[in-house]
Amino acid sequence: MKTIIEPFRIKAVEPLRMTTREEREGILRDAHFNVFNIRSRDVLIDLLTDSGTGAMSSLQWAAIMRGDESYAGAESFFRFRDVVRDLTGFDHILPTHQGRAAERILFELVGGPRKIVPNNNHFDTTRANIEHSGAEAVDLPIAEAADPANRHPFKGNMDVAKLEALVARVGADRIPLCMVTVTNNSAGGQPVSLENLRAVRAVCDRHGIPLFLDACRFAENAFFIKRRERGYQERGIRDIVREMFELADGATISAKKDGLVNIGGILLIRDEALAQRADALLILTEGFVTYGGLAGRDLEAMAQGLEEVVLEDYLAYRIRSTEYLGERLLRIGYQIVEPPGGHAIYIDAGGLLPRIPPAQFPGQALVCALYRAAGIRSVEVGSVMFGGKDTPPPLELVRLAIPRRVYTQSHIDYVVEAAAEVYARRAELRGLRMTHEPPFLRHFTATFEELA
Ligand SMILES: *Cc1c(COP(=O)(O)O)cnc(C)c1O
């Protein structure tokens, strides 16, 4: 088989600034060993997140000039609405400025004290919005998700038996809706099968519970279904996407992922009465229903991005480039969350650095080492992000998220070379001590010092 190449050529370039190891040493120290404090100009390859960091196409930039900035009834809204309607089958389509704005509106309407919202795994903003409403967010992943080496093809699935047990225990009246996140970001960007979605739907139907998707990476999930789920090899991506959305009563979407834009979100709601209440809240805090806190040009870029993200050549390249990084890291000797997810590779830093205990943040030590070695910015997903609570996180991970259409294979090869260098010197890595601990979402602003 031939190499799967980037299915685009480059028209505009953005220079990268090289730094020396000595410079990076000083930058890391000035940032108090927290890479969120590093300026982007001091980063060579930025794998902090795949959210809003993608490159737009020439057609998206062209669409931006077409943006209709009318307050009400802008043409750009109708173009956006028609694309989303065609893709998802939903009629009621609310634009929002990000995914979390859609979450905030939804959970202000259906959340509240004593309510419980299950999900395969809640993303952190989803959980925060549910808890902010007074409700409780419950994760129900399948058991395989806890084992990084387990190669379950749909490791993002929800445990349907656990959902059934939760409903039996608390009663359906306390569950305003059930969510499923596709792909399952917090579990390593792992996909959810249509079989699992249908099984969750059946439980929801039996108990009259609406099913919502957190559909940020709907296209990547659909591609995994086409590749891995029996009976879908010959089906088109659009077809599979439609089937996913038809199983749902609504969805929240961050368009900063599979919308292929730098800003934007979507709220989809089937129920007419609920949709009308959502419209009212949208107007209250985001903007009128035909722009929802976005400029007309943003809606145009989103409409075009949603057309491009379901193209099979794009998805083949996208999923393969993430897998390529994962395979190379495995070959070096790293344990990663297997199989490679859609948008990121997660390294098991706890297993790599057994002499650094969780209290000394092995993930953060690896993040610092990758920056020092080569100016690569990654992010810790372990005791820095989730520690300081009653239950410590099960794994000490480092995430390398791949921005969409931004880096070429040689950039990724460079990351692999740096990772090999760090691997060879892993015995020299040092743990850290947290010198400032913010009360919540501490990973963004915590400061550290390195231990001797
Ligand atoms: C990014 C993300 C969100 C939140 O979207 P924002 O646009 O960042 O507000 C919600 N859920 C998942 C699964 C995400 O990846």
Side-chain angles (χ1 to χ4, degrees):
M1 201 173 78
K2 292 207 180 68
T3 302
I4 296 173
I5 61 170
E6 289 84 1
F8 48 81
R9 53 185 179 175
I10 296 165
K11 179 171 281 187
V13 299
E14 188 180 2
L16 293 175
R17 200 176 74 94
M18 304 293 169
T19 48
T20 65
R21 200 181 178 102
E22 290 69 47
E23 282 172 330
R24 291 194 294 272
E25 198 63 58
I27 290 163
L28 197 56
R29 203 166 297 280
D30 291 346
H32 301 285
F33 301 97
N34 183 340
V35 292
F36 282 97
N37 291 329
I38 297 178
R39 291 175 62 158
S40 64
R41 68 193 291 275
D42 295 328
V43 176
L44 192 56
I45 308 283
D46 205 344
L47 306 183
L48 186 69
T49 176
D50 68 316
S51 178
T53 53
M56 293 210 296
S57 68
S58 51
L59 284 179
Q60 283 179 291
W61 284 108
I64 281 204
M65 280 310 293
R66 201 168 56 170
D68 175 352
E69 305 302 344
S70 305
Y71 192 97
E75 276 305 297
S76 300
F77 170 74
F78 296 106
R79 261 193 291 274
F80 159 77
R81 186 202 61 183
D82 291 349
V83 168
V84 178
R85 185 179 278 173
D86 196 43
L87 205 55
T88 66
F90 276 84
D91 282 324
H92 214 101
I93 295 158
L94 291 76
T96 60
H97 79 278
Q98 289 200 205
R100 70 194 67 182
E103 292 167 353
R104 206 271 305 152
I105 290 169
L106 180 63
F107 291 110
E108 184 168 334
L109 291 172
V110 307
R114 280 187 45 79
K115 296 279 171 60
I116 295 173
V117 181
N119 202 328
N120 43 358
N121 281 99
H122 288 281
F123 180 67
D124 55 8
T125 61
T126 321
R127 171 177 293 277
N129 273 293
I130 290 167
E131 290 174 353
H132 185 69
S133 80
E136 189 187 335
V138 176
D139 290 338
L140 304 174
I142 55 170
E144 288 86 343
D147 173 11
N150 188 303
R151 293 188 66 97
H152 191 293
F154 291 101
K155 220 174 167 180
N157 281 354
M158 176 178 273
D159 188 324
V160 181
K162 279 194 210 150
L163 175 65
E164 193 75 80
L166 177 78
V167 180
R169 185 161 57 80
V170 305
D173 54 322
R174 285 182 64 193
I175 304 178
L177 57 84
C178 172
M179 274 200 127
V180 175
T181 305
V182 293
T183 58
N184 188 336
N185 186 353
S186 309
Q190 300 291 329
V192 175
S193 69
L194 269 166
E195 183 186 25
N196 186 249
L197 274 181
R198 277 193 291 268
V200 170
R201 174 83 237 184
V203 174
C204 289
D205 281 345
R206 268 203 297 287
H207 300 283
I209 299 168
L211 173 63
F212 272 61
L213 298 179
D214 179 342
C216 299
R217 298 178 182 80
F218 67 92
E220 292 174 8
N221 200 81
F223 187 78
F224 280 119
I225 288 171
K226 183 177 168 87
R227 281 289 161 91
R228 297 182 185 169
E229 188 157 356
R230 191 163 347 134
Y232 287 91
Q233 279 66 43
E234 304 306 321
R235 298 276 298 278
I237 295 293
R238 275 183 175 275
D239 235 23
I240 298 172
V241 166
R242 190 63 177 255
E243 197 166 330
M244 285 161 51
F245 279 103
E246 277 175 354
L247 286 165
D249 299 294
T252 56
I253 301 176
S254 168
K256 298 172 73 171
K257 286 74 174 233
D258 278 352
L260 296 180
V261 288
N262 305 115
I263 198 76
I266 310 170
L267 177 57
L268 304 175
I269 296 179
R270 193 111 36 214
D271 180 83
E272 199 47 48
L274 185 64
Q276 277 178 20
R277 290 167 64 212
D279 280 350
L281 280 184
L282 185 80
I283 294 169
L284 186 68
T285 60
E286 292 276 305
F288 187 59
V289 292
T290 59
Y291 73 89
L294 292 168
R297 56 180 171 270
D298 296 329
L299 296 170
E300 293 279 356
M302 228 188 326
Q304 178 62 28
L306 289 168
E307 297 277 12
E308 293 174 11
V309 78
V310 289
L311 297 177
E312 207 157 326
D313 284 346
Y314 161 76
L315 285 166
Y317 140 77
R318 168 71 178 159
I319 299 304
R320 176 60 196 148
S321 53
T322 306
E323 185 183 59
Y324 176 83
L325 174 60
E327 283 171 1
R328 292 298 187 281
L329 294 178
L330 278 168
R331 210 176 285 170
I332 292 168
Y334 284 100
Q335 178 63 60
I336 63 166
V337 173
E338 294 184 78
H343 70 289
I345 295 297
Y346 293 68
I347 297 175
D348 177 9
L352 179 75
L353 305 169
R355 292 183 321 149
I356 303 179
Q360 294 178 11
F361 311 118
Q364 194 68 14
L366 179 59
V367 167
C368 290
L370 288 168
Y371 181 73
R372 257 197 190 101
I376 296 161
R377 177 153 65 178
S378 54
V379 68
E380 195 263 11
V381 182
S383 283
V384 175
M385 195 177 273
F386 300 119
K389 302 196 184 116
D390 305 338
T391 43
L395 294 170
E396 298 291 335
L397 301 174
V398 168
R399 185 182 77 181
L400 305 174
I402 317 293
R404 292 170 180 78
R405 307 191 289 203
V406 170
Y407 294 116
T408 63
Q409 186 170 339
S410 59
H411 288 118
I412 298 300
D413 285 336
Y414 170 87
V415 172
V416 171
E417 287 163 18
E421 180 190 321
V422 168
Y423 187 84
R425 306 167 118 215
R426 63 192 183 282
E428 296 164 29
L429 266 55
R430 292 185 283 164
L432 298 111
R433 189 177 77 80
M434 200 179 276
T435 48
H436 168 66
E437 183 186 347
F440 46 77
L441 292 175
R442 62 184 194 163
H443 54 288
F444 288 118
T445 50
T447 61
F448 303 88
E449 63 185 18
E450 277 190 319
L451 297 166

